[in-house]
Structure formats: structure tokens, C-alpha cells
Amino acid sequence: MTNSERRISRQRAFMPPAGEAKPDWWLLAQVAQRLGFHEGFTWPHPAAIFREHAALSGFENNGQRAFDISGLAGMSDAQWDAMKPVQWPINARYPEGCARLFSDRHFYHPDGKAHLLPPATPQPVVCETAYPLLMNSGRIRDQWHTMTRTGLVPRLMQHCDEPFAALHPQDAQRYGLCAGALARVQSDAGWMTVRVTLDSGLRRGEIFVPMHWNRQFSLQGTVGGLVASTRCPVSAQPAFKQTAVRIHPLNASWQGWLWQRDASPPDALRYWARTPYEGVQRFSVAGDGSPEQWLMATIPLAGLQLQTAHAAEPLYRLLAWRNGELHLVFYAGASLPEINHDWVAQAFRLAPVNAADRHALLAGQSAQRAVAGRTICSCFGVGENTILQAIKQGCHSTQALGNALSCGTNCGSCLPELKHLLLSVAVPEEE
């Protein structure tokens, strides 16, 4: 991987391949060999691919191209394994890398001079009556690009577990929205469905939508479908940060939680978003009509022992058992039911055996286990409610919270949220 300051870093696997799975480079090499290019694709190790890549960067270069890592072409497999981040060029002139280019005032053009381009004049997006809001898309703390590296890691999905649109509370009120509501965000290019969050730090007339969710994790949560195909004429950089949109409530008869061992998304819904847990998949769902009728018509339940609870529509709860193991759980109501997610997830690993615990599971609550709330510290799995309780009990600084709960003491990415929670709790003045 190379970042924007030319720093190469070797990405290391965080876990071994499952079963007989092979790395991508091996698959590509096998295809090439079967196409008749055996001699060119006989790499025994990824280090051999990197050595070839490094050598090609210096081939017929003669100082004409800035990118040159030919100094790494002779590294051993052991050196490749231990490779530390380094900035290119890395060659005979810069054997240890080069932190700053052009310090000798030589540029990579035939005349050796810099060729300056006038900046393109940006074309601001005009928010009109039809699309009155300016949408910015970006990343959130625990996700990588389109979740290719992070989406299947349960711990990283506990902080923000659904596609969302953050907007100022006054804007939300103006458009008939509240925290936790479902909404449709639409531009003249497309639309997406999201969960609404409120952020008083946003400017009025602007919303933020994360870029990460894709069709493996949400029904219609892909922000790329809203962004116009506008780009810089020189660099071709797309204008992801400026899209005129509108937002309005996504009305559904019911909302709920569907827990199942299968990752296949359910059908016939207005909205779903998937969050992986260990050994089970949780879907946030919303639909029309009766939730019970939807479940019976959509999810195969034959051969399962069912435990249900009914009340006034659309309140409905169901546990489905097979050979004493929990196979599927469904909670539905007019709004998204409040349940103890960690406890439900644990029940799929270790099913409750007595009647009282099974009835508590049907309610989605556990009398013995407190609800930790939304995960704030992913490193140590510390939830929002746990942190708020610690603040009320006397932890009035991030250091005190770290000492008590360990949150904020590893990567530190949760520190801004810890500070926000500290400000949200009224601390009694000392007499």
C-alpha cells in the first residue's frame, strides 16, 4: 500500500486463510499459467512479485520517472517479511528512501523544470428548492472503504452498524425527522435509505452520509448512487463532497430485528441493514403490512420449534429452535424494538435452557445482564451506557474512564466521543 506522501507499507494478514482458501496473487498466477504464460507467473512467494515490481520501476528509467524502488529489487524473503514503511524513490541515489522530493530543484520533465497548471475553477453546487441540502460523503472511524477489510469483523460493526444520514436537529425537525427514524436521501442521480442521526455540530442545510455501505450490507445504502459524475478536468478527482439532495421520511408499517445464522438478506422489505456477530447475522428490517405475515411468507420455518409472543399489531416476537439450538429470532414493532443485542447474540452461541431465560429472550431483555449500549471503544468493547454510568459514578475525565474501563487507552480513536459524553452528563459541583 502507498499513501499520499509516497510511503510504502507492507500490509500483513490479520488471520490465516480459512480452509483451503488461497491468496489472490496465487489465483491470478494459476489462471495465467493455464492460459499459456507459465514462465512469467511461477512466483513461489509474494516477495518474488514485489521484487519483480521493484525491478520494473527502475527498468529504462534513467532518472526520468519519480517512482523508482529498484533499490528493493534484491531484498530477500526475510527482508520482505520485516519490511518497514519507507518513502520512494528508493534506488542508488536514495538507498534509504526520500522524505522530500524536488529538494534539488530537478523535476521529471525533459527540461528538468516544473510545469505548473492553473487550478481548475470549482463549480459550486447550487441547492435549489427541489434539492435543498448539501450532502457530504466520507468515512467513519471503524470502516475501510466499502467494508472490504472491516465489514465482516463484528467488533468494528458495533460502533456504527447501519448506513445513516447525520443532520442538524433543526433541519431534522423541518423535514419531519427524528433521531432513529428511517429516511430516503435523494439526488437527481439516485437515492438511498438511511437511519437518521442528529448532530448539532453540523451546519444548517448540510448532511453527512458515510461512504462504506454496499449491497452486501444494506438494501439501498450505497451513497455512490447519489453522486453526480462531476470531476476535475485535470486530475479527474471526482466531486464526492458536494451533492445537492433532499431527505424525507421513509414510512413503514413496522420495524424490527431479524437474527439468523445465514447471511443471505431477506426479501420483500422496504429496508434492511446487516450487522455480523460471532456465529449469527443481525438484520435491522422494516416493511409494510403485518410483520408476522411477512415472516411466515418469506422465511423458511418448516421443521423448527417456534416460540411466539403476540400483542396489538405490529408487536410480534418469535424464537425458532432446532435441536435445542437457537436458529432464528425476530422482534418487530411500530418502531425499532429496544433489545439487549449482546445477550441475544450470546444466546446463539449458548442457548438458554430454563423457561425463565427463554421467556426473557423472547422479550429481548435479560434481568441479569445490563445493556451496554452502542459500542464506543471498539478496542475493548466498551458501550455507551457503561461509560455514562461510570461518569455518573465519578469518572469525570478521559483518564479516569481509561483507568476504570480501559476505553481510550489503546488506539485513541474513541477519545473525541468520550469527551463528548463527558460534556453530556451534568457533573454535580463540589461543595
Side-chain angles (χ1 to χ4, degrees):
M1 173 181 157
T2 307
N3 69 6
S4 56
E5 61 169 355
R6 299 171 287 107
R7 191 178 302 276
I8 300 172
S9 59
R10 191 175 79 76
Q11 303 297 289
R12 291 159 172 82
F14 66 89
M15 62 185 300
E20 298 181 2
K22 298 292 185 180
D24 290 347
W25 68 267
W26 183 90
L27 300 174
L28 293 171
Q30 293 298 308
V31 172
Q33 290 179 26
R34 283 160 174 74
L35 289 174
F37 303 99
H38 189 275
E39 292 184 1
F41 294 86
T42 56
W43 306 301
H45 189 274
I49 303 174
F50 185 79
R51 285 191 289 267
E52 182 177 324
H53 170 58
L56 285 170
S57 72
F59 180 68
E60 295 184 349
N61 191 329
N62 300 319
Q64 297 176 3
R65 300 188 301 271
F67 177 70
D68 182 357
I69 58 171
S70 56
L72 301 177
M75 64 166 36
S76 65
D77 289 3
Q79 289 173 323
W80 185 85
D81 284 331
M83 181 180 174
K84 296 183 181 300
V86 60
Q87 289 173 278
W88 59 259
I90 311 156
N91 50 26
R93 185 179 181 185
Y94 301 107
E96 303 299 325
C98 176
R100 185 177 180 87
L101 280 178
F102 313 127
S103 58
D104 58 358
R105 301 191 179 187
H106 173 77
F107 297 86
Y108 293 92
H109 295 289
D111 58 6
K113 296 181 179 181
H115 292 187
L116 303 181
L117 295 173
T121 302
Q123 301 297 321
V125 172
V126 178
C127 295
E128 301 176 334
T129 303
Y131 301 102
L133 297 169
L134 186 65
M135 183 189 74
N136 173 29
S137 63
R139 67 182 300 262
I140 56 177
R141 192 188 76 192
D142 290 354
Q143 296 301 331
W144 169 271
H145 292 185
T146 52
M147 298 182 174
T148 52
R149 297 187 181 190
T150 53
L152 297 179
V153 183
R155 187 172 64 178
L156 297 179
M157 291 291 286
Q158 304 309 308
H159 178 243
C160 296
D161 54 7
E162 293 181 79
F164 66 87
L167 65 163
H168 193 279
Q170 294 182 16
D171 283 335
Q173 184 178 19
R174 177 182 179 184
Y175 297 109
L177 299 166
C178 61
L182 291 175
R184 173 179 284 197
V185 181
Q186 186 174 5
S187 73
D188 61 358
W191 59 274
M192 66 184 300
T193 53
V194 295
R195 184 80 60 184
V196 172
T197 65
L198 305 183
D199 187 344
S200 58
L202 285 173
R203 288 182 292 196
R204 295 289 309 277
E206 297 185 7
I207 69 172
F208 171 80
V209 179
M211 67 182 188
H212 310 286
W213 272 262
N214 56 65
R215 292 184 180 180
Q216 290 184 319
F217 293 93
S218 61
L219 175 62
Q220 193 73 26
T222 307
V223 72
L226 280 68
V227 179
S229 57
T230 305
R231 61 183 178 85
C232 171
V234 178
S235 69
Q237 175 72 27
F240 286 137
K241 303 297 182 182
Q242 299 181 35
T243 303
V245 300
R246 61 183 175 221
I247 188 170
H248 55 85
L250 178 71
N251 297 317
S253 303
W254 57 268
Q255 296 188 50
W257 303 105
L258 174 68
W259 297 74
Q260 61 182 34
R261 297 186 182 274
D262 186 5
S264 301
D267 295 324
L269 289 168
R270 299 211 65 194
Y271 172 87
W272 63 258
R274 176 168 71 96
T275 302
Y277 282 75
E278 183 182 348
V280 64
Q281 307 291 319
R282 189 200 71 188
F283 290 84
S284 171
V285 294
D288 290 328
S290 164
E292 180 181 3
Q293 292 177 1
W294 169 82
L295 185 73
M296 296 303 172
T298 308
I299 306 297
L301 298 175
L304 298 175
Q305 179 186 0
L306 304 182
Q307 182 180 354
T308 62
H310 300 259
E313 283 280 7
L315 186 64
Y316 180 68
R317 309 288 171 103
L318 177 142
L319 307 180
W321 306 86
R322 174 177 288 160
N323 300 325
E325 288 189 345
L326 195 58
H327 183 75
L328 181 142
V329 172
F330 182 54
Y331 306 98
S335 58
L336 202 57
E338 293 187 8
I339 63 172
N340 190 324
H341 297 274
D342 291 337
W343 188 58
V344 176
Q346 182 180 348
F348 279 86
R349 301 190 296 271
L350 184 63
V353 293
N354 60 61
D357 284 345
R358 286 196 174 201
H359 280 91
L361 181 62
L362 189 62
Q365 305 294 336
S366 170
Q368 292 77 32
R369 182 183 290 267
V371 179
R374 182 175 65 94
T375 298
I376 300 297
C377 177
S378 296
C379 295
F380 297 102
V382 186
E384 183 176 16
N385 294 341
T386 304
I387 294 169
L388 291 173
Q389 184 64 29
I391 295 172
K392 293 177 182 178
Q393 293 175 351
C395 294
H396 298 158
S397 68
T398 56
Q399 182 177 358
L401 288 171
N403 292 337
L405 304 174
S406 297
C407 53
T409 62
N410 190 34
C411 75
S413 61
C414 65
L415 286 172
E417 288 184 85
L418 294 180
K419 294 176 181 178
H420 180 76
L421 291 175
L422 285 164
L423 292 173
S424 69
V425 176
V427 178
E429 295 183 4
E430 297 182 359
E431 296 183 358

